Amino acid sequence: MRKMESDMSGPTGRVEKKRAMAAAAVAVILGFACSILTVAVYDRFFAQKVVAVDLAGYVAGQRDRFVSGEITATELTDNIEGILRRMGSGPKNEVLVLDGAVAGNVKRMELGAGRSDEKSGNDRRE
């Protein structure tokens, strides 16, 4: 027993204690970094995100534009089909919910020119 105590009290024992403390500190830091990385990757790629979509407002706006003569029937169907394709091409972890069913602070998908007073960058006027 005395041999162990005398070994730890010498210069070699102090160096071993410092190495052990350094290894413990590195293990704690690596564990903390792995935990943060795991949560970040999960949140980015796997956690479900709720996105509100005002589809009814967009369709009503397109209908108003069609009735007023701003767009043709072909453009109306192209615009609606384009929005439906865009809604289906989002990330797999996004859940689209109609805007009327959502309360609170959620991300909202902008559908573009839905109202008759808005202008769209992809309008094809004749």
Side-chain angles (χ1 to χ4, degrees):
M1 187 75 139
R2 289 181 184 240
K3 180 140 175 97
M4 281 177 88
E5 288 176 10
S6 65
D7 286 345
M8 295 304 280
S9 63
T12 307
R14 289 187 195 128
V15 170
E16 287 181 22
K17 277 186 178 180
K18 287 182 181 180
R19 285 184 183 161
M21 292 296 284
V26 167
V28 168
I29 291 170
L30 284 176
F32 188 66
C34 287
S35 297
I36 289 175
L37 182 64
T38 300
V39 171
V41 167
Y42 174 78
D43 183 61
R44 172 72 173 97
F45 295 106
F46 300 106
Q48 293 292 311
K49 309 283 191 216
V50 176
V51 179
V53 178
D54 185 18
L55 186 60
Y58 179 80
V59 171
Q62 290 295 313
R63 181 198 63 218
D64 293 344
R65 293 177 68 203
F66 174 69
V67 169
S68 69
E70 289 182 45
I71 60 174
T72 65
T74 305
E75 291 173 330
L76 173 67
T77 57
D78 288 347
N79 289 346
I80 292 174
E81 287 173 0
I83 287 301
L84 294 175
R85 275 192 308 274
R86 186 172 147 215
M87 289 171 55
S89 68
K92 300 293 182 204
N93 64 338
E94 284 188 353
V95 177
L96 300 178
V97 179
L98 294 180
D99 194 38
V102 176
N105 187 17
V106 298
K107 180 179 170 184
R108 301 198 184 277
M109 177 184 269
E110 295 297 324
L111 296 179
R115 307 276 180 213
S116 59
D117 57 342
E118 293 177 339
K119 301 295 180 207
S120 174
N122 61 1
D123 283 350
R124 289 173 275 154
R125 299 184 189 248
E126 294 179 299

